Amino acid sequence: MSASDKNTRPAPEPVQVVKQRRDRALQALVSGIPYVQFLGIEFDRRGDELTATLRYDPKLIGNPLLPAIHGGATAAFLETAAIIELGWARVWSDVESGALDVETMTPESLPRLPKTIDFTVDYLRSGLPRDAYARARINRSGRRFASVHVEAWQDNRSKLFAQGTGHFVMPEQNDGADAAARDRG
Amino acid sequence: MTTSENADRQARIAAQFIAAIPHSTALGMQVQSVSGGVAEITMPYDKKLVGDPATGVIHGGAVSALMDTCGGAAVLCHDAGPIGTATIDLRIDYMRAATPGQTITARAECYHVTRSVAFVRATAMDEDTGRPVATATGAFTVEFAK
């Protein structure tokens, strides 16, 4: 908590202010990653819940005969959904508390992203030439390690075309913006 | 067919196969060699593949795509002679960040093929070949001509 003790309950923030702050934070987290831009991955947000979208593009095709999305593109999509979910969970409280200032937030000022230790993808169906969606669930997130599961689907939420599980090393808490935020008090 | 004719045929098919994969060409992959169930494919460093803007390190997903492509190529050039393949699962272990600016080379070996499944292991290296960047194991479907 900040040092300024409040005697009166502050008025709730206007909803637009809240949404803009969260969307800017998410944008800063995602927009700085060239490979995510190259693949065409976007994130939708409902509160703190994220859904990743892989916009279909002919360059994602791995089997032109079927045609089907390349397994590597699918793997990258799932891994990205997992990493952003972890990064997002990590910055959420600082964004909400104002410890991370979204006005001046850039990809460089954000905490470092987690590093992948291992990632396993199950290919359940071939990826069709259309948009794909993914949601990640953090099953365990400790100080140093995290385990994340990701589900990806296309037309039907209940018919997954791929799922993945990965383990990640979380960045040191005193890295980058985390430390800067603490220094600012 | 003689052994060398067979090898030539396989090398040609595999090279054409990779060249026909839009995603692999979009990532700049180049087939170095394919024969006897072993494939080697390179992916030159490119800024669009960067996953961590702070360090310039290539995104793990791009390495996954390289491993997946290389694994599929290894299956297709196996002596059992499959005509089609698709990934069932692929696990990648990331040993270290690839050095920014360096080409990544993947080498995949298809070490066993059944009537329906091929088993593959792969390694990715940058120019420091003594220390792998990542290793992978995968299972792939196989189709044979009827």
Side-chain angles (χ1 to χ4, degrees):
Chain A
M1 286 302 275
S2 74
S4 59
D5 284 320
K6 298 172 187 70
N7 296 322
T8 54
R9 183 186 293 246
E13 289 177 295
V15 66
Q16 297 90 335
V17 172
V18 174
K19 284 189 175 177
Q20 191 177 54
R21 179 178 64 228
R22 293 172 181 173
D23 287 339
R24 279 197 185 176
L26 180 58
Q27 180 65 15
L29 200 62
V30 173
S31 67
I33 309 173
Y35 194 57
V36 172
Q37 304 305 316
F38 169 72
L39 287 178
I41 300 173
E42 298 161 7
F43 285 83
D44 283 337
R45 185 190 62 76
R46 300 280 181 279
D48 70 344
E49 182 199 62
L50 301 182
T51 307
T53 302
L54 178 65
R55 296 256 171 251
Y56 174 68
D57 187 280
K59 71 167 180 282
L60 300 176
I61 288 294
N63 184 331
L65 300 175
L66 289 176
I69 293 179
H70 196 287
T74 301
F77 178 48
L78 296 186
E79 192 178 326
T80 297
I83 289 173
I84 296 298
E85 183 73 30
L86 282 171
W88 178 240
R90 174 64 72 98
V91 299
W92 173 264
S93 60
D94 283 346
V95 169
E96 290 302 289
S97 71
L100 266 177
D101 181 8
V102 266
E103 295 303 322
T104 59
M105 190 182 269
T106 61
E108 292 75 31
S109 70
L110 283 167
R112 298 289 304 276
L113 288 167
K115 289 197 184 92
T116 313
I117 303 167
D118 60 64
F119 202 79
T120 307
V121 183
D122 292 336
Y123 297 92
L124 306 171
R125 292 180 171 78
S126 68
L128 302 169
R130 59 191 72 155
D131 290 359
Y133 312 99
R135 273 192 206 136
R137 183 182 69 233
I138 301 172
N139 282 329
R140 156 88 178 139
S141 181
R143 204 169 50 81
R144 293 182 63 198
F145 301 113
S147 176
V148 183
H149 186 260
V150 190
E151 295 182 340
W153 69 97
Q154 293 190 301
D155 298 321
N156 301 113
R157 177 68 181 88
S158 59
K159 289 187 176 170
L160 304 181
F161 81 102
Q163 62 178 353
T165 307
H167 297 93
F168 301 84
V169 184
M170 301 305 289
E172 297 282 337
Q173 281 284 9
N174 59 7
D175 259 13
D178 276 3
R182 266 199 307 283
D183 290 346
R184 283 196 297 271
Chain B
M1 263 190 292
T2 67
T3 312
S4 77
E5 275 174 348
N6 194 34
D8 285 351
R9 184 189 70 93
Q10 284 187 339
R12 210 169 50 242
I13 289 171
Q16 284 170 353
F17 176 80
I18 303 300
I21 300 175
H23 191 59
S24 302
T25 51
L27 266 55
M29 293 182 203
Q30 293 155 12
V31 180
Q32 300 304 319
S33 65
V34 273
S35 96
V38 178
E40 200 172 288
I41 298 179
T42 53
M43 185 173 71
Y45 184 81
D46 191 315
K47 285 199 171 78
K48 73 183 176 215
L49 304 179
V50 167
D52 184 349
T55 57
V57 169
I58 297 249
H59 195 282
V63 179
S64 297
L66 177 65
M67 296 286 228
D68 190 53
T69 303
C70 199
V75 173
L76 288 178
C77 73
H78 190 271
D79 293 337
I83 58 160
T85 185
T87 318
I88 297 172
D89 75 44
L90 191 70
R91 176 197 162 109
I92 307 212
D93 294 300
Y94 296 99
M95 264 95 263
R96 65 178 176 94
T99 305
Q102 296 189 2
T103 291
I104 299 179
T105 302
R107 184 184 182 280
E109 177 195 4
C110 175
Y111 61 91
H112 187 70
V113 176
T114 73
R115 272 178 295 179
S116 52
V117 185
F119 298 90
V120 172
R121 52 182 160 239
T123 307
M125 288 157 292
D126 56 18
E127 287 165 22
D128 181 2
T129 54
R131 298 187 305 136
V133 167
T135 59
T137 53
F140 289 71
T141 66
V142 282
E143 272 177 67
F144 293 98
K146 294 197 175 82

